[in-house]
Amino acid sequence: MNSLRPRLTSPDQLPDLPVNLPQGLEISPQPRAIAAILHDLAQPLPSHCIALRRQGGQTIKYVPWYKANRLLDYHTGGHWEGRVTQIHTTADRIVITYAVTIHASDGTYTREAAGTELLKETLWDKESQTWITRELPYGDCSSNAESMAFRRACARFGLALNLYDKDK
């Protein structure tokens, strides 16, 4: 476990996350059972935990990586860790695999997921009538891919899965 991760002593330490503890739950230095953690992670998130971004002409809801981090801290009491397990590049993409491990009272559970990001893009230049390749002008592709992989690994534990339900 990452000893640098702060231990929560009160839900008040997370002012922008839910501060009302579920019935019967108390913050404790002892790990909780995985069933209780999974139950809590599967609950729909309050709107202040969700961000919006434009992608491909659509508005997409997502949980920023730092809020997913805080939610894991909150629901596991800090008994979790994460790490990059693999980095792979192709001519135009980076793929990062991330593992999240929860240390519960009844065992240790790990989920992995991958995130990918374009390294560069190819565009048709009308002026020169040729294809040009350029690096993407926003963000750092490796941190973007890591963020995606981390959030997807969290989703494998149930965090924010309701955002993928198109009917809601």
mmCIF file of all heavy atoms in Angstrom, residues 8-23 25-27 46 48-49 71 74-75:
data_model
loop_
_atom_site.group_PDB
_atom_site.id
_atom_site.type_symbol
_atom_site.label_atom_id
_atom_site.label_comp_id
_atom_site.label_asym_id
_atom_site.label_seq_id
_atom_site.Cartn_x
_atom_site.Cartn_y
_atom_site.Cartn_z
ATOM 1 N N LEU A 8 -8.068 8.958 5.912
ATOM 2 C CA LEU A 8 -9.194 9.823 6.239
ATOM 3 C C LEU A 8 -9.596 9.613 7.682
ATOM 4 O O LEU A 8 -9.661 8.493 8.155
ATOM 5 C CB LEU A 8 -10.374 9.500 5.336
ATOM 6 C CG LEU A 8 -10.126 9.642 3.842
ATOM 7 C CD1 LEU A 8 -11.367 9.226 3.081
ATOM 8 C CD2 LEU A 8 -9.734 11.039 3.501
ATOM 9 N N THR A 9 -9.858 10.701 8.363
ATOM 10 C CA THR A 9 -10.362 10.603 9.723
ATOM 11 C C THR A 9 -11.785 11.133 9.799
ATOM 12 O O THR A 9 -12.473 10.901 10.777
ATOM 13 C CB THR A 9 -9.473 11.400 10.699
ATOM 14 O OG1 THR A 9 -9.397 12.751 10.253
ATOM 15 C CG2 THR A 9 -8.072 10.795 10.754
ATOM 16 N N SER A 10 -12.201 11.831 8.762
ATOM 17 C CA SER A 10 -13.534 12.408 8.752
ATOM 18 C C SER A 10 -13.974 12.624 7.310
ATOM 19 O O SER A 10 -13.156 12.990 6.469
ATOM 20 C CB SER A 10 -13.502 13.752 9.479
ATOM 21 O OG SER A 10 -14.641 14.512 9.152
ATOM 22 N N PRO A 11 -15.251 12.428 7.040
ATOM 23 C CA PRO A 11 -15.727 12.721 5.686
ATOM 24 C C PRO A 11 -15.623 14.206 5.353
ATOM 25 O O PRO A 11 -15.665 14.588 4.199
ATOM 26 C CB PRO A 11 -17.172 12.248 5.691
ATOM 27 C CG PRO A 11 -17.556 12.159 7.111
ATOM 28 C CD PRO A 11 -16.299 11.894 7.891
ATOM 29 N N ASP A 12 -15.443 15.069 6.352
ATOM 30 C CA ASP A 12 -15.298 16.496 6.111
ATOM 31 C C ASP A 12 -14.012 16.818 5.364
ATOM 32 O O ASP A 12 -13.847 17.917 4.848
ATOM 33 C CB ASP A 12 -15.328 17.271 7.433
ATOM 34 C CG ASP A 12 -16.672 17.142 8.120
ATOM 35 O OD1 ASP A 12 -17.689 16.939 7.419
ATOM 36 O OD2 ASP A 12 -16.708 17.222 9.355
ATOM 37 N N GLN A 13 -13.080 15.868 5.294
ATOM 38 C CA GLN A 13 -11.843 16.089 4.553
ATOM 39 C C GLN A 13 -12.081 16.084 3.053
ATOM 40 O O GLN A 13 -11.196 16.401 2.295
ATOM 41 C CB GLN A 13 -10.810 15.017 4.903
ATOM 42 C CG GLN A 13 -10.303 15.140 6.328
ATOM 43 C CD GLN A 13 -9.337 14.039 6.654
ATOM 44 O OE1 GLN A 13 -9.652 12.860 6.492
ATOM 45 N NE2 GLN A 13 -8.174 14.410 7.118
ATOM 46 N N LEU A 14 -13.266 15.722 2.619
ATOM 47 C CA LEU A 14 -13.603 15.688 1.206
ATOM 48 C C LEU A 14 -14.749 16.657 0.951
ATOM 49 O O LEU A 14 -15.877 16.252 0.734
ATOM 50 C CB LEU A 14 -14.013 14.275 0.789
ATOM 51 C CG LEU A 14 -12.953 13.203 0.992
ATOM 52 C CD1 LEU A 14 -13.551 11.833 0.790
ATOM 53 C CD2 LEU A 14 -11.801 13.436 0.047
ATOM 54 N N PRO A 15 -14.471 17.965 0.967
ATOM 55 C CA PRO A 15 -15.566 18.932 0.888
ATOM 56 C C PRO A 15 -16.364 18.871 -0.402
ATOM 57 O O PRO A 15 -17.518 19.222 -0.420
ATOM 58 C CB PRO A 15 -14.862 20.275 1.027
ATOM 59 C CG PRO A 15 -13.449 20.015 0.636
ATOM 60 C CD PRO A 15 -13.162 18.590 1.018
ATOM 61 N N ASP A 16 -15.785 18.396 -1.517
ATOM 62 C CA ASP A 16 -16.547 18.384 -2.755
ATOM 63 C C ASP A 16 -17.084 16.998 -3.084
ATOM 64 O O ASP A 16 -17.508 16.733 -4.176
ATOM 65 C CB ASP A 16 -15.705 18.911 -3.916
ATOM 66 C CG ASP A 16 -14.463 18.082 -4.174
ATOM 67 O OD1 ASP A 16 -14.004 17.399 -3.248
ATOM 68 O OD2 ASP A 16 -13.943 18.128 -5.290
ATOM 69 N N LEU A 17 -17.036 16.077 -2.131
ATOM 70 C CA LEU A 17 -17.602 14.745 -2.301
ATOM 71 C C LEU A 17 -18.706 14.549 -1.279
ATOM 72 O O LEU A 17 -18.862 15.346 -0.368
ATOM 73 C CB LEU A 17 -16.513 13.679 -2.123
ATOM 74 C CG LEU A 17 -15.438 13.693 -3.207
ATOM 75 C CD1 LEU A 17 -14.371 12.677 -2.894
ATOM 76 C CD2 LEU A 17 -16.045 13.413 -4.566
ATOM 77 N N PRO A 18 -19.465 13.465 -1.394
ATOM 78 C CA PRO A 18 -20.554 13.257 -0.439
ATOM 79 C C PRO A 18 -20.008 13.245 0.986
ATOM 80 O O PRO A 18 -19.022 12.571 1.262
ATOM 81 C CB PRO A 18 -21.099 11.871 -0.806
ATOM 82 C CG PRO A 18 -20.542 11.549 -2.131
ATOM 83 C CD PRO A 18 -19.338 12.369 -2.335
ATOM 84 N N VAL A 19 -20.612 14.028 1.858
ATOM 85 C CA VAL A 19 -20.145 14.049 3.242
ATOM 86 C C VAL A 19 -21.052 13.254 4.162
ATOM 87 O O VAL A 19 -20.708 13.027 5.313
ATOM 88 C CB VAL A 19 -19.987 15.497 3.784
ATOM 89 C CG1 VAL A 19 -18.874 16.209 3.060
ATOM 90 C CG2 VAL A 19 -21.281 16.272 3.668
ATOM 91 N N ASN A 20 -22.193 12.825 3.678
ATOM 92 C CA ASN A 20 -23.066 11.986 4.493
ATOM 93 C C ASN A 20 -22.675 10.534 4.286
ATOM 94 O O ASN A 20 -22.796 9.998 3.193
ATOM 95 C CB ASN A 20 -24.535 12.191 4.107
ATOM 96 C CG ASN A 20 -24.992 13.592 4.403
ATOM 97 O OD1 ASN A 20 -24.557 14.188 5.379
ATOM 98 N ND2 ASN A 20 -25.839 14.132 3.552
ATOM 99 N N LEU A 21 -22.192 9.911 5.343
ATOM 100 C CA LEU A 21 -21.786 8.519 5.247
ATOM 101 C C LEU A 21 -23.008 7.628 5.097
ATOM 102 O O LEU A 21 -24.047 7.900 5.686
ATOM 103 C CB LEU A 21 -21.016 8.113 6.503
ATOM 104 C CG LEU A 21 -19.654 8.762 6.688
ATOM 105 C CD1 LEU A 21 -19.109 8.435 8.071
ATOM 106 C CD2 LEU A 21 -18.693 8.281 5.636
ATOM 107 N N PRO A 22 -22.886 6.565 4.310
ATOM 108 C CA PRO A 22 -23.996 5.610 4.229
ATOM 109 C C PRO A 22 -24.338 5.072 5.617
ATOM 110 O O PRO A 22 -23.467 5.017 6.495
ATOM 111 C CB PRO A 22 -23.433 4.497 3.339
ATOM 112 C CG PRO A 22 -22.356 5.157 2.545
ATOM 113 C CD PRO A 22 -21.776 6.208 3.456
ATOM 114 N N GLN A 23 -25.582 4.690 5.798
ATOM 115 C CA GLN A 23 -26.074 4.194 7.078
ATOM 116 C C GLN A 23 -25.136 3.126 7.653
ATOM 117 O O GLN A 23 -24.819 2.154 6.985
ATOM 118 C CB GLN A 23 -27.471 3.593 6.886
ATOM 119 C CG GLN A 23 -28.158 3.197 8.167
ATOM 120 C CD GLN A 23 -28.779 4.386 8.863
ATOM 121 O OE1 GLN A 23 -28.993 5.414 8.259
ATOM 122 N NE2 GLN A 23 -29.065 4.244 10.135
ATOM 123 N N LEU A 25 -21.943 3.218 8.270
ATOM 124 C CA LEU A 25 -20.538 3.262 7.856
ATOM 125 C C LEU A 25 -19.794 4.320 8.651
ATOM 126 O O LEU A 25 -20.262 5.438 8.790
ATOM 127 C CB LEU A 25 -20.424 3.581 6.367
ATOM 128 C CG LEU A 25 -19.008 3.821 5.844
ATOM 129 C CD1 LEU A 25 -18.187 2.546 5.967
ATOM 130 C CD2 LEU A 25 -19.057 4.271 4.402
ATOM 131 N N GLU A 26 -18.660 3.936 9.188
ATOM 132 C CA GLU A 26 -17.797 4.882 9.876
ATOM 133 C C GLU A 26 -16.411 4.788 9.266
ATOM 134 O O GLU A 26 -15.955 3.722 8.886
ATOM 135 C CB GLU A 26 -17.717 4.553 11.372
ATOM 136 C CG GLU A 26 -19.042 4.688 12.087
ATOM 137 C CD GLU A 26 -18.942 4.290 13.559
ATOM 138 O OE1 GLU A 26 -17.837 3.989 14.014
ATOM 139 O OE2 GLU A 26 -19.982 4.302 14.207
ATOM 140 N N ILE A 27 -15.729 5.944 9.177
ATOM 141 C CA ILE A 27 -14.349 5.947 8.696
ATOM 142 C C ILE A 27 -13.503 5.277 9.774
ATOM 143 O O ILE A 27 -13.596 5.589 10.951
ATOM 144 C CB ILE A 27 -13.865 7.387 8.449
ATOM 145 C CG1 ILE A 27 -14.702 8.035 7.355
ATOM 146 C CG2 ILE A 27 -12.396 7.405 8.089
ATOM 147 C CD1 ILE A 27 -14.543 7.405 5.991
ATOM 148 N N PRO A 46 -23.113 12.044 -7.110
ATOM 149 C CA PRO A 46 -23.740 13.371 -7.132
ATOM 150 C C PRO A 46 -23.187 14.185 -8.303
ATOM 151 O O PRO A 46 -22.068 13.958 -8.759
ATOM 152 C CB PRO A 46 -23.314 13.998 -5.794
ATOM 153 C CG PRO A 46 -22.589 12.971 -5.044
ATOM 154 C CD PRO A 46 -22.309 11.816 -5.927
ATOM 155 N N HIS A 48 -21.912 17.053 -8.561
ATOM 156 C CA HIS A 48 -20.666 17.802 -8.392
ATOM 157 C C HIS A 48 -19.417 16.924 -8.536
ATOM 158 O O HIS A 48 -18.306 17.441 -8.572
ATOM 159 C CB HIS A 48 -20.644 18.567 -7.060
ATOM 160 C CG HIS A 48 -20.664 17.699 -5.849
ATOM 161 N ND1 HIS A 48 -21.841 17.295 -5.259
ATOM 162 C CD2 HIS A 48 -19.680 17.157 -5.124
ATOM 163 C CE1 HIS A 48 -21.564 16.541 -4.212
ATOM 164 N NE2 HIS A 48 -20.257 16.435 -4.114
ATOM 165 N N CYS A 49 -19.590 15.622 -8.667
ATOM 166 C CA CYS A 49 -18.456 14.711 -8.912
ATOM 167 C C CYS A 49 -18.265 14.439 -10.398
ATOM 168 O O CYS A 49 -17.320 13.762 -10.787
ATOM 169 C CB CYS A 49 -18.682 13.382 -8.189
ATOM 170 S SG CYS A 49 -18.608 13.497 -6.405
ATOM 171 N N LEU A 71 -12.682 9.513 -4.329
ATOM 172 C CA LEU A 71 -13.764 8.568 -4.051
ATOM 173 C C LEU A 71 -13.217 7.222 -3.586
ATOM 174 O O LEU A 71 -13.770 6.607 -2.666
ATOM 175 C CB LEU A 71 -14.654 8.393 -5.282
ATOM 176 C CG LEU A 71 -15.581 9.577 -5.558
ATOM 177 C CD1 LEU A 71 -16.050 9.575 -7.001
ATOM 178 C CD2 LEU A 71 -16.753 9.560 -4.588
ATOM 179 N N TYR A 74 -12.149 7.705 -0.069
ATOM 180 C CA TYR A 74 -13.319 7.809 0.798
ATOM 181 C C TYR A 74 -13.953 6.445 1.071
ATOM 182 O O TYR A 74 -14.213 6.087 2.216
ATOM 183 C CB TYR A 74 -14.333 8.742 0.140
ATOM 184 C CG TYR A 74 -15.601 8.955 0.918
ATOM 185 C CD1 TYR A 74 -15.600 9.744 2.067
ATOM 186 C CD2 TYR A 74 -16.793 8.394 0.510
ATOM 187 C CE1 TYR A 74 -16.763 9.958 2.783
ATOM 188 C CE2 TYR A 74 -17.965 8.598 1.219
ATOM 189 C CZ TYR A 74 -17.936 9.384 2.361
ATOM 190 O OH TYR A 74 -19.085 9.580 3.064
ATOM 191 N N HIS A 75 -14.183 5.670 0.021
ATOM 192 C CA HIS A 75 -14.914 4.409 0.181
ATOM 193 C C HIS A 75 -14.048 3.253 0.671
ATOM 194 O O HIS A 75 -14.591 2.260 1.178
ATOM 195 C CB HIS A 75 -15.627 4.023 -1.117
ATOM 196 C CG HIS A 75 -16.770 4.931 -1.439
ATOM 197 N ND1 HIS A 75 -17.866 5.083 -0.619
ATOM 198 C CD2 HIS A 75 -16.988 5.756 -2.484
ATOM 199 C CE1 HIS A 75 -18.698 5.946 -1.135
ATOM 200 N NE2 HIS A 75 -18.189 6.381 -2.272
#
